[in-house]
């Protein structure tokens, strides 16, 4: 989020790439897919598109979070 606020597409791309891989590693396919789209947009320098995808990322996290909490009990 900070990279988007600062208008730094390279940093946004790095963060999205990391999130994509981490999400895939825990089986969060939807979150990984959104992060992949974010990474592509950021890599293309489309910081406004990255910002516009934030609600999609938040929705994917909203599905993932309770599942992860359940697994960690």
């Amino acid at each position: 989020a900070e990279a988007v606020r600062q208008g730094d597409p390279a940093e946004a791309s790095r963060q999205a790439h990391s999130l994509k891989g981490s999400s895939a590693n825990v089986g969060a396919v939807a979150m990984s897919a959104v992060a992949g789209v974010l990474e592509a947009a950021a890599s293309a320098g489309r910081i406004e598109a990255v910002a516009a995808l934030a609600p999609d990322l938040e929705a994917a996290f909203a599905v993932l979070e309770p599942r992860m909490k359940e697994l960690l009990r």
Side-chain angles (χ1 to χ4, degrees):
E2 186 65 27
V4 173
R5 281 191 289 276
Q6 292 180 352
D8 186 348
E11 181 60 23
S13 178
R14 280 190 291 278
Q15 290 177 6
H17 178 79
S18 179
L19 181 60
K20 180 180 74 173
S22 298
S23 299
N25 285 338
V26 297
V29 178
M31 182 171 258
S32 182
V34 173
V37 174
L38 286 166
E39 180 184 13
S43 292
R46 298 176 47 234
I47 204 75
E48 70 288 340
V50 174
L53 288 165
D56 294 338
L57 189 60
E58 290 171 0
F61 181 73
V63 171
L64 175 64
E65 183 180 27
R67 292 179 181 170
M68 293 301 291
K69 285 182 178 179
E70 183 65 30
L71 288 173
L72 295 173
R73 285 187 189 182

